[in-house]
Amino acid sequence: MILMRVGALKESLTNETGRLVSIYHLSEGLGKKFHDTVREILDEYTIITLRYYTEYDRGRESINKLYNNLATMELKSDVDKTKADSFLYVLGEFQPIRERIEYLTSSRVEWSLKYTTYILGGMLILLLFLNRGDPFTNLLFVLLSTIIVFIFLIIEDYDDLKIGDYKANISNSEQIFDLIEKDRYYPEEILSRVELERGKKYRIGILDEKDGKEKIFDILYNPEFKSKVKFLVDKLKIRKV
């Protein structure tokens, strides 16, 4: 069940990225003002959905801005009108994909199913423990207990979207940032999951504990990068008296 959900989520994320790429390219022929607006909206949307991955509904407002700015399209020829029709068609395809991702990232394994699994696993470990005695059963107890605990951890990580799919979201977000020629953005919490290039500038999002809002800093990746990030994180922490 969890693996099926993760598979569906990866597929939806891929489809979403494909539609965003199409939206960006189609906007290029609809006037500079409209294209620049689309570029900024896609940047905003990608930042929000990367930061608040399990709260995908936060990205709705950004997509609404696309609809609100349709009037700024420049349609000077029949070719432009055809491009506009294609843009609207892709935008229409994008909406149900985004809604599906919102559902998949917000849903969780039913607690009854999860805890039933935990209880059965715990009982199995207990039975193995009580039947220890010779070296073989002792080894069997250690191996099976380790496997069961490992399975529990995997279930929790998949349910909390910490495995696989988040990596896909990071990769897709990088693709969008590169496409729209914006510095890559990463929440500070996921820096350990990404590979950074020396000499390249990144936008790093750090939550300000005072107001709960994110502040984004442009930081060059060099030997002082980690110390700069740590300094900013400490600076935005609430000081305990």
Side-chain angles (χ1 to χ4, degrees), residues 207-232:
L207 288 178
D208 187 340
E209 293 186 0
K210 298 181 183 67
D211 57 15
K213 295 181 180 179
E214 181 184 52
K215 290 181 170 54
I216 298 178
F217 300 90
D218 294 329
I219 306 177
L220 186 69
Y221 186 66
N222 55 28
E224 291 79 38
F225 178 84
K226 290 183 179 179
S227 60
K228 288 180 181 178
V229 172
K230 185 178 184 304
F231 171 78
L232 291 169

Short mmCIF file of all heavy atoms in Angstrom, two decimals, residues 207-232:
data_model
loop_
_atom_site.label_atom_id
_atom_site.label_comp_id
_atom_site.label_asym_id
_atom_site.label_seq_id
_atom_site.Cartn_x
_atom_site.Cartn_y
_atom_site.Cartn_z
N LEU A 207 14.02 28.89 8.47
CA LEU A 207 12.85 29.36 9.20
C LEU A 207 13.27 30.25 10.37
O LEU A 207 14.16 29.89 11.14
CB LEU A 207 12.03 28.18 9.71
CG LEU A 207 11.25 27.39 8.67
CD1 LEU A 207 10.52 26.22 9.32
CD2 LEU A 207 10.25 28.28 7.93
N ASP A 208 12.62 31.38 10.47
CA ASP A 208 12.84 32.29 11.60
C ASP A 208 11.89 31.85 12.72
O ASP A 208 10.67 31.94 12.58
CB ASP A 208 12.54 33.72 11.18
CG ASP A 208 12.92 34.74 12.25
OD1 ASP A 208 13.05 34.33 13.43
OD2 ASP A 208 13.08 35.92 11.92
N GLU A 209 12.45 31.36 13.80
CA GLU A 209 11.62 30.83 14.88
C GLU A 209 10.81 31.92 15.58
O GLU A 209 9.85 31.62 16.28
CB GLU A 209 12.49 30.09 15.90
CG GLU A 209 13.12 28.82 15.34
CD GLU A 209 13.87 28.04 16.39
OE1 GLU A 209 13.90 28.48 17.56
OE2 GLU A 209 14.43 26.98 16.06
N LYS A 210 11.19 33.17 15.38
CA LYS A 210 10.46 34.26 16.05
C LYS A 210 9.07 34.45 15.45
O LYS A 210 8.10 34.69 16.17
CB LYS A 210 11.27 35.55 15.95
CG LYS A 210 12.62 35.50 16.64
CD LYS A 210 13.33 36.84 16.50
CE LYS A 210 14.72 36.78 17.13
NZ LYS A 210 15.63 35.89 16.38
N ASP A 211 8.97 34.39 14.13
CA ASP A 211 7.67 34.61 13.49
C ASP A 211 7.20 33.41 12.66
O ASP A 211 6.12 33.45 12.08
CB ASP A 211 7.71 35.86 12.61
CG ASP A 211 8.80 35.80 11.55
OD1 ASP A 211 9.34 34.71 11.30
OD2 ASP A 211 9.13 36.86 10.97
N GLY A 212 8.02 32.36 12.60
CA GLY A 212 7.64 31.16 11.86
C GLY A 212 7.73 31.30 10.36
O GLY A 212 7.31 30.41 9.62
N LYS A 213 8.27 32.42 9.89
CA LYS A 213 8.38 32.65 8.45
C LYS A 213 9.78 32.29 7.96
O LYS A 213 10.75 32.34 8.70
CB LYS A 213 8.07 34.12 8.12
CG LYS A 213 6.64 34.52 8.43
CD LYS A 213 6.39 35.96 8.07
CE LYS A 213 4.95 36.37 8.37
NZ LYS A 213 4.68 37.79 8.03
N GLU A 214 9.83 31.95 6.68
CA GLU A 214 11.11 31.58 6.09
C GLU A 214 11.83 32.80 5.54
O GLU A 214 11.22 33.68 4.93
CB GLU A 214 10.89 30.57 4.96
CG GLU A 214 12.19 30.11 4.31
CD GLU A 214 11.97 29.19 3.13
OE1 GLU A 214 11.19 29.57 2.23
OE2 GLU A 214 12.56 28.11 3.10
N LYS A 215 13.12 32.82 5.76
CA LYS A 215 13.97 33.85 5.17
C LYS A 215 14.94 33.14 4.22
O LYS A 215 15.51 32.11 4.55
CB LYS A 215 14.72 34.63 6.24
CG LYS A 215 13.82 35.54 7.07
CD LYS A 215 14.60 36.32 8.11
CE LYS A 215 13.73 37.39 8.76
NZ LYS A 215 12.48 36.86 9.32
N ILE A 216 15.09 33.71 3.03
CA ILE A 216 15.93 33.09 2.00
C ILE A 216 17.21 33.91 1.84
O ILE A 216 17.16 35.13 1.65
CB ILE A 216 15.17 32.98 0.67
CG1 ILE A 216 13.95 32.07 0.84
CG2 ILE A 216 16.09 32.43 -0.42
CD1 ILE A 216 13.10 31.93 -0.41
N PHE A 217 18.34 33.21 1.90
CA PHE A 217 19.65 33.86 1.80
C PHE A 217 20.40 33.34 0.58
O PHE A 217 20.39 32.14 0.30
CB PHE A 217 20.47 33.58 3.06
CG PHE A 217 19.83 34.07 4.34
CD1 PHE A 217 18.98 33.23 5.05
CD2 PHE A 217 20.07 35.34 4.81
CE1 PHE A 217 18.38 33.67 6.23
CE2 PHE A 217 19.48 35.79 5.99
CZ PHE A 217 18.64 34.95 6.70
N ASP A 218 21.05 34.26 -0.13
CA ASP A 218 21.93 33.88 -1.24
C ASP A 218 23.32 33.59 -0.67
O ASP A 218 23.96 34.49 -0.12
CB ASP A 218 22.02 35.00 -2.27
CG ASP A 218 20.68 35.26 -2.96
OD1 ASP A 218 19.91 34.30 -3.12
OD2 ASP A 218 20.41 36.42 -3.32
N ILE A 219 23.75 32.34 -0.81
CA ILE A 219 25.03 31.94 -0.22
C ILE A 219 25.87 31.21 -1.26
O ILE A 219 25.39 30.28 -1.92
CB ILE A 219 24.82 31.03 1.01
CG1 ILE A 219 23.89 31.70 2.03
CG2 ILE A 219 26.16 30.71 1.66
CD1 ILE A 219 23.57 30.83 3.23
N LEU A 220 27.11 31.65 -1.40
CA LEU A 220 28.04 31.01 -2.32
C LEU A 220 28.59 29.74 -1.68
O LEU A 220 28.96 29.74 -0.50
CB LEU A 220 29.18 31.97 -2.65
CG LEU A 220 30.19 31.51 -3.71
CD1 LEU A 220 29.53 31.48 -5.09
CD2 LEU A 220 31.41 32.43 -3.72
N TYR A 221 28.62 28.67 -2.47
CA TYR A 221 29.14 27.42 -1.92
C TYR A 221 30.67 27.42 -2.00
O TYR A 221 31.26 27.33 -3.07
CB TYR A 221 28.59 26.21 -2.67
CG TYR A 221 28.98 24.89 -2.03
CD1 TYR A 221 28.50 24.55 -0.77
CD2 TYR A 221 29.84 24.01 -2.67
CE1 TYR A 221 28.86 23.35 -0.17
CE2 TYR A 221 30.20 22.81 -2.08
CZ TYR A 221 29.71 22.49 -0.83
OH TYR A 221 30.08 21.31 -0.22
N ASN A 222 31.28 27.54 -0.85
CA ASN A 222 32.74 27.55 -0.72
C ASN A 222 33.08 26.94 0.64
O ASN A 222 32.19 26.46 1.35
CB ASN A 222 33.28 28.98 -0.87
CG ASN A 222 32.63 29.94 0.12
OD1 ASN A 222 32.20 29.56 1.19
ND2 ASN A 222 32.56 31.21 -0.26
N PRO A 223 34.34 26.91 1.02
CA PRO A 223 34.70 26.30 2.31
C PRO A 223 33.99 26.90 3.52
O PRO A 223 33.88 26.24 4.56
CB PRO A 223 36.21 26.53 2.38
CG PRO A 223 36.65 26.56 0.96
CD PRO A 223 35.54 27.25 0.22
N GLU A 224 33.50 28.13 3.41
CA GLU A 224 32.81 28.77 4.55
C GLU A 224 31.30 28.56 4.51
O GLU A 224 30.58 29.07 5.37
CB GLU A 224 33.10 30.28 4.56
CG GLU A 224 34.53 30.65 4.90
CD GLU A 224 35.47 30.47 3.72
OE1 GLU A 224 35.05 30.77 2.59
OE2 GLU A 224 36.61 30.01 3.94
N PHE A 225 30.82 27.82 3.52
CA PHE A 225 29.37 27.68 3.32
C PHE A 225 28.66 27.13 4.57
O PHE A 225 27.69 27.71 5.06
CB PHE A 225 29.11 26.76 2.12
CG PHE A 225 27.65 26.50 1.85
CD1 PHE A 225 26.90 27.39 1.10
CD2 PHE A 225 27.03 25.35 2.34
CE1 PHE A 225 25.55 27.16 0.85
CE2 PHE A 225 25.69 25.11 2.08
CZ PHE A 225 24.95 26.01 1.34
N LYS A 226 29.15 26.01 5.09
CA LYS A 226 28.48 25.37 6.23
C LYS A 226 28.48 26.27 7.46
O LYS A 226 27.48 26.33 8.19
CB LYS A 226 29.15 24.03 6.54
CG LYS A 226 28.91 22.97 5.49
CD LYS A 226 29.52 21.64 5.89
CE LYS A 226 29.25 20.57 4.84
NZ LYS A 226 29.87 19.26 5.20
N SER A 227 29.58 26.96 7.69
CA SER A 227 29.66 27.83 8.87
C SER A 227 28.71 29.02 8.72
O SER A 227 28.11 29.47 9.70
CB SER A 227 31.09 28.32 9.08
OG SER A 227 31.55 29.05 7.95
N LYS A 228 28.54 29.51 7.49
CA LYS A 228 27.61 30.62 7.25
C LYS A 228 26.17 30.18 7.51
O LYS A 228 25.39 30.90 8.14
CB LYS A 228 27.75 31.13 5.82
CG LYS A 228 29.03 31.91 5.55
CD LYS A 228 29.07 32.38 4.10
CE LYS A 228 30.36 33.15 3.82
NZ LYS A 228 30.44 33.57 2.39
N VAL A 229 25.84 28.98 7.01
CA VAL A 229 24.49 28.46 7.22
C VAL A 229 24.23 28.26 8.71
O VAL A 229 23.17 28.64 9.22
CB VAL A 229 24.29 27.13 6.45
CG1 VAL A 229 22.95 26.49 6.83
CG2 VAL A 229 24.35 27.37 4.95
N LYS A 230 25.19 27.68 9.40
CA LYS A 230 25.03 27.44 10.84
C LYS A 230 24.86 28.76 11.60
O LYS A 230 24.04 28.87 12.51
CB LYS A 230 26.24 26.69 11.39
CG LYS A 230 26.11 26.28 12.86
CD LYS A 230 27.31 25.51 13.33
CE LYS A 230 27.12 25.02 14.76
NZ LYS A 230 26.83 26.11 15.71
N PHE A 231 25.62 29.77 11.20
CA PHE A 231 25.52 31.08 11.84
C PHE A 231 24.11 31.66 11.66
O PHE A 231 23.52 32.18 12.61
CB PHE A 231 26.56 32.03 11.25
CG PHE A 231 26.38 33.46 11.68
CD1 PHE A 231 26.81 33.89 12.93
CD2 PHE A 231 25.78 34.39 10.83
CE1 PHE A 231 26.63 35.21 13.33
CE2 PHE A 231 25.60 35.70 11.22
CZ PHE A 231 26.03 36.11 12.48
N LEU A 232 23.58 31.54 10.45
CA LEU A 232 22.25 32.08 10.17
C LEU A 232 21.16 31.29 10.91
O LEU A 232 20.20 31.87 11.41
CB LEU A 232 21.98 32.06 8.67
CG LEU A 232 22.83 33.03 7.84
CD1 LEU A 232 22.68 32.74 6.35
CD2 LEU A 232 22.43 34.48 8.14
#
